[in-house]
Amino acid sequence: RFNIVGVAADARTRLTEPAPLVVYEPYSGAIPPFSGSLVVRSSLPVGSLAGPLRQAIGKLAPAAPMSNLQALDQLKANAVAPQRYQLTLLLLFAGLALFLVALGVYALVAHSVARRSKELAIRISLGARAGTIWSAVMRQALIPVIAGLGSGLTTAVLTGSLLRSLLFHVNPTNPAVLVAAVATVGIAAVCACLGPAYRATRTDPLRALRAD
């Protein structure tokens, strides 16, 4: 029979599973055979602690073995290694997708500017300013991007539960995460539009009107 002296907070043993129910009992009341872990706080490297720890434990319990000496950082790294590997692959594919998105937007805007070269030349000949040409090209290019971001955001919210196993203490529909993702893709799209928009403002009216 034991007396309850306190309630400890939940402690996870695995990231993909909820915290188990645990009861902490006094060491003196444990029934042998049993095993345990000793946690030592020190500023020394792990390798230099093996000898002193063996001597200290040997004085208290000569028959107690000591093995698998590891740093806490290493234990934490091993615990999240599968999730970290999966997240690394996900980030690589996400980076590749972002690059392809920027490349596709750049190609479409450049093609649109090339097709509208005569129209832009006429506008410039009639006195249109560079800022007007710039805003016209950017507006035409970013309208599909905004529509795509809207549909992508909706899809991310609806399918966010599929990524729940890769996240820890982060909600798949966290507004900050979604805003950061939308901002990243939007900035990439805007940067992809800058080159064609700049070239549109430098259109030579005479050369563009003479071209077939």
Side-chain angles (χ1 to χ4, degrees), residues 161-185:
S161 58
L162 300 177
L163 298 176
R164 193 176 299 274
S165 61
L166 300 177
L167 304 175
F168 180 63
H169 284 181
V170 177
N171 193 328
T173 58
N174 188 313
V177 175
L178 296 178
V179 169
V182 170
T184 301
V185 177

Side-chain angles (χ1 to χ4, degrees), residues 93-163:
F93 285 117
L96 179 61
L98 183 62
F99 172 76
L100 293 177
V101 166
L103 185 62
V105 171
Y106 174 83
L108 288 176
V109 177
H111 179 68
S112 175
V113 170
R115 292 186 58 183
R116 298 178 59 188
S117 59
K118 291 186 177 181
E119 173 195 346
L120 297 175
I122 293 175
R123 289 190 178 190
I124 294 175
S125 300
L126 294 177
R129 297 182 178 180
T132 304
I133 301 298
W134 178 287
S135 61
V137 173
M138 294 293 290
R139 183 170 58 252
Q140 183 184 16
L142 292 180
I143 288 178
V145 172
I146 294 174
L149 287 176
S151 61
L153 183 61
T154 303
T155 304
V157 172
L158 296 177
T159 61
S161 58
L162 300 177
L163 298 176

Side-chain angles (χ1 to χ4, degrees), residues 81-97 163 166:
Q83 289 77 14
R84 181 173 296 174
Y85 175 74
Q86 295 172 359
L87 184 60
T88 301
L89 288 180
L90 183 63
L91 289 176
L92 289 176
F93 285 117
L96 179 61
L163 298 176
L166 300 177

